[in-house]
Amino acid sequence: MRSRLGALAWRAALAALLVCGIGLLPWLSRTDPALTVLKARSAERDPSPEALAVVRAQLGLDDGPSHLLGRWLAGLSRADAGQSWISGADVLPDVLQALGVSLLLTAAALTVALVVAAGVCARTLWLGAGRRLEGRRPAGGSGSAVLAALPEFLIASVLATVIGVQWGWLPALGWYGPQWTVLPALALGLPAGAVLGRLLDDQLPAAFTEPWASAAAARGLTGRSIARKALRRCVPGLLPNLGLFVVGLTGGSVAVEQIFDIPGLGRTTLRAAIAQDLPVLQTGALVLVALAAVVTGLARLAAGRLIGPALRDGALHTVHGPTPAGRTGPAVVCGVLLSAVVGLGLPRDPLALDTGARLLPPSAAHPFGTDALGRDVLARVAHGALDTLLLALSISAIALTAGVLLGLLPRLSGPLVDTVNAVPPVLAALLVAAVWGGGPTTPVAAVAVVAWAPLAAHTGALLRQERATAHLAATRALGAGPWHLLRSELLPAVLPSVARHALLRLPGIALALASLGFLGLGAQPPSPEWGLLLAENQPYAERAPWAVLAPAAVLALLGALAVTAPGALRRPRRLRTPGCDPREQPSRKVELSRAE
């Protein structure tokens, strides 16, 4: 009871800190909120001292930030979030309406994600149901890697242009009924489903090798029934990440909402942050934090129900059992292709302008074609790869280290993960830029602040199940201490899956870095960053599709490499229950005594 109260207090403190930090954003950035609000209300009006004084008096800015924050918090107790500084409308009804739109879009996107995840792990389920999975090498996962690497806004742009405009099959703009949810749900659900499918497919082989699977087959249970039980065995370890996806889709789908003109919570919060409309920004952030807490609690409750008393009784079998080494061929091919693109493009000038060669198709002179200014796309892709990949690798390493370390402390990291995941990366970048200032380090800090959360949730979920395994209880009974269990049993079982998860997120980190640079929070044009290339050439996607497809294809190639590269992590691992082999008991006891 005391631990639950402590976790609740810690969660409330983090939520209060986030809301207060957002409320103090204009003062932290040393900008005048009155000037920003005046420009948002009337861009043509002269910001004279008299006009700014009128705005300050209307908003009560002369009373100071603490008074404004206290007044807003006091209004929440009466279900009154105040009025918008820009429009003057009541904040709470607008935010709740935007939340309803986002939740509906999230539900549709989650349905798409679950269908895609089922397709990714269908082969493993089919082989496991037929008891033909033993000794099989894992699939390369190139198709799921491509889906996981494609940015949501690029998928949204292609779907809106091709299906919505050219073919006219579905509406591409607005939010007026079920038909308007299909394209944005596909844009959000395809990458998320690919990531979830890969994480699930990573655990299924070991689940099919557990003793219960052999006993079920011996009793005559059908393969379909065994496959369903294997899914139930592996899903609890992914439910925390599924909860993170739900919150991330609700608050972080800003680009998709902008492209399809959807009045969702993410776009509402971002616009309020840019305009410094503090009542809307604070209320939106508070709603996202509350949603994160509710979704995470439901995910943990569902995980406990699915696992049952086995988690409490320590009767689980590890889901990180023996796995065959992965194929090295796909990783080599992807690495060679990516290296070839970089090697061929580096000798070219990425900034050379040729207005007479605008939007040329691929040719011998320009293998990837040219952009709207006549610059060689191959040169820009290759030069942008160096900075983008190095930064993405560095952030991935930091996120993996922080995620694993914090995942070892679930009571500390659980509420922290919920709070961090409630902040969309764009909003996190605005907060970092306000305190840190602009520059090339701002996107790095902003992405690093939020990149560790999914890895910490994954680590905590896997460790929770691994601590309840029978072989760990037997090792503990032989005298192994906590440090020995952590070093020799827990970390070797969990690290490979979490490391593959970190590599799977590498393309998304690379894109997030470049996208934040395009928003003015880092590198600026004419820098050849990949996200800038995609955003700059997006208006010409219909006329010159190669200008968008070339950087998108390279990003997808990076995703395929990120999935196939960790084959070295899939080393055959034998699980030995201490004491089962009499010949090993003396040496095992000596080893444990030395560990102590």
Side-chain angles (χ1 to χ4, degrees):
M1 184 65 180
R2 183 177 299 178
S3 61
R4 292 182 179 180
L5 291 177
L8 183 61
W10 173 229
R11 191 184 303 274
L14 289 173
L17 182 63
L18 174 62
V19 173
C20 292
I22 293 175
L24 299 176
L25 177 61
W27 289 269
L28 292 174
S29 59
R30 296 179 298 276
T31 60
D32 188 358
L35 178 61
T36 306
V37 172
L38 181 64
K39 289 182 178 180
R41 291 179 176 178
S42 178
E44 299 178 354
R45 187 174 180 181
D46 182 26
S48 62
E50 293 78 9
L52 294 177
V54 171
V55 175
R56 290 193 187 94
Q58 292 177 349
L59 303 181
L61 294 176
D62 293 334
D63 296 334
S66 59
H67 177 76
L68 284 175
L69 189 61
R71 187 172 60 188
W72 177 76
L73 292 175
L76 288 180
S77 61
R78 305 186 302 271
D80 180 15
Q83 286 75 38
S84 169
W85 286 2
I86 307 301
S87 64
D90 290 337
V91 170
L92 193 58
D94 292 341
V95 170
L96 293 180
Q97 183 179 3
L99 175 63
V101 172
S102 294
L103 289 178
L104 180 58
L105 177 59
T106 299
L110 190 60
T111 302
V112 174
L114 294 178
V115 172
V116 173
V120 170
C121 59
R123 176 180 177 272
T124 303
L125 286 172
W126 178 65
L127 292 175
R131 310 299 294 170
R132 299 187 301 272
L133 194 60
E134 186 176 359
R136 297 264 183 165
R137 292 176 179 269
S142 301
S144 60
V146 171
L147 285 179
L150 289 178
E152 289 88 349
F153 78 86
L154 177 61
I155 299 177
S157 300
V158 173
L159 292 177
T161 302
V162 177
I163 298 180
V165 178
Q166 291 185 351
W167 296 350
W169 290 355
L170 291 168
L173 291 176
W175 186 260
Y176 305 105
Q179 292 181 342
W180 279 262
T181 64
V182 176
L183 295 183
L186 288 174
L188 291 172
L190 289 175
V195 175
L196 288 174
R198 286 303 307 170
L199 295 178
L200 181 59
D201 193 63
D202 189 48
Q203 296 184 17
L204 279 173
F208 279 110
T209 61
E210 291 185 357
W212 67 262
S214 301
R219 292 179 57 188
L221 266 69
T222 63
R224 183 177 301 178
S225 177
I226 295 176
R228 285 199 303 266
K229 294 182 181 299
L231 276 176
R232 179 173 179 174
R233 175 67 181 90
C234 297
V235 163
L238 300 181
L239 281 177
N241 271 280
L242 184 61
L244 295 182
F245 273 113
V246 171
V247 180
L249 289 175
T250 304
S253 55
V254 181
V256 175
E257 292 176 357
Q258 291 278 18
I259 292 172
F260 290 102
D261 195 21
I262 300 174
L265 186 60
R267 191 179 68 162
T268 301
T269 306
L270 176 63
R271 288 185 174 182
I274 295 176
Q276 293 191 0
D277 193 353
L278 291 190
V280 177
L281 179 59
Q282 290 172 316
T283 307
L286 185 62
V287 168
L288 286 174
V289 172
L291 178 65
V294 171
V295 171
T296 304
L298 292 176
R300 291 175 180 171
L301 179 62
R305 290 295 182 89
L306 286 174
I307 297 177
L311 185 64
R312 181 187 67 248
D313 299 337
L316 290 177
H317 192 275
T318 179
V319 293
H320 309 286
T323 53
R327 295 188 181 97
T328 58
V332 172
V333 172
C334 295
V336 169
L337 290 176
L338 189 60
S339 301
V341 170
V342 175
L344 292 175
L346 283 180
R348 301 169 179 262
D349 187 359
L351 304 178
L353 300 177
D354 186 1
T355 56
R358 297 175 63 251
L359 301 177
L360 291 180
S363 61
H366 304 285
F368 284 0
T370 60
D371 62 8
L373 298 178
R375 296 173 295 191
D376 187 78
V377 176
L378 175 61
R380 294 182 63 75
V381 169
H383 283 267
L386 296 180
D387 294 338
T388 304
L389 288 179
L390 288 177
L391 289 177
L393 286 172
S394 302
I395 293 177
S396 297
I398 295 173
L400 176 61
T401 303
V404 171
L405 292 178
L406 290 173
L408 297 175
L409 305 171
R411 293 182 182 178
L412 172 67
S413 64
L416 190 59
V417 167
D418 301 341
T419 305
V420 169
N421 190 69
V423 181
V426 175
L427 183 57
L430 291 173
L431 293 173
V432 172
V435 180
W436 196 311
T441 59
T442 299
V444 178
V447 176
V449 163
V450 298
W452 61 269
L455 302 179
H458 195 191
T459 302
L462 295 181
L463 282 175
R464 186 186 180 197
Q465 295 189 55
E466 194 69 22
R467 288 191 178 102
T469 55
H471 82 92
L472 196 70
T475 306
R476 189 183 296 111
L478 288 177
W483 287 109
H484 176 81
L485 293 175
L486 179 65
R487 184 180 67 253
S488 302
E489 300 291 343
L490 295 176
L491 287 181
V494 172
L495 273 180
S497 294
V498 180
R500 287 191 289 271
H501 185 185
L503 285 174
L504 190 63
R505 290 186 174 272
L506 178 63
I509 290 177
L511 180 70
L513 286 171
S515 300
L516 292 178
F518 178 72
L519 292 175
L521 300 174
Q524 296 294 310
S527 175
E529 286 210 273
W530 287 354
L532 291 176
L533 300 183
L534 290 171
E536 289 173 350
N537 296 315
Q538 182 183 343
Y540 310 97
E542 186 175 355
R543 179 182 174 187
W546 53 84
V548 176
L549 293 179
V554 176
L555 187 63
L557 186 64
L558 173 63
L561 178 63
V563 172
T564 56
L569 295 176
R570 294 182 180 271
R571 297 175 181 175
R573 177 173 176 264
R574 294 182 179 179
L575 293 176
R576 296 178 300 173
T577 302
C580 290
D581 189 349
R583 296 173 298 178
E584 296 182 359
Q585 288 184 10
S587 59
R588 180 66 172 175
K589 291 181 179 179
V590 170
E591 177 186 356
L592 294 178
S593 62
R594 290 177 179 177
E596 288 294 304

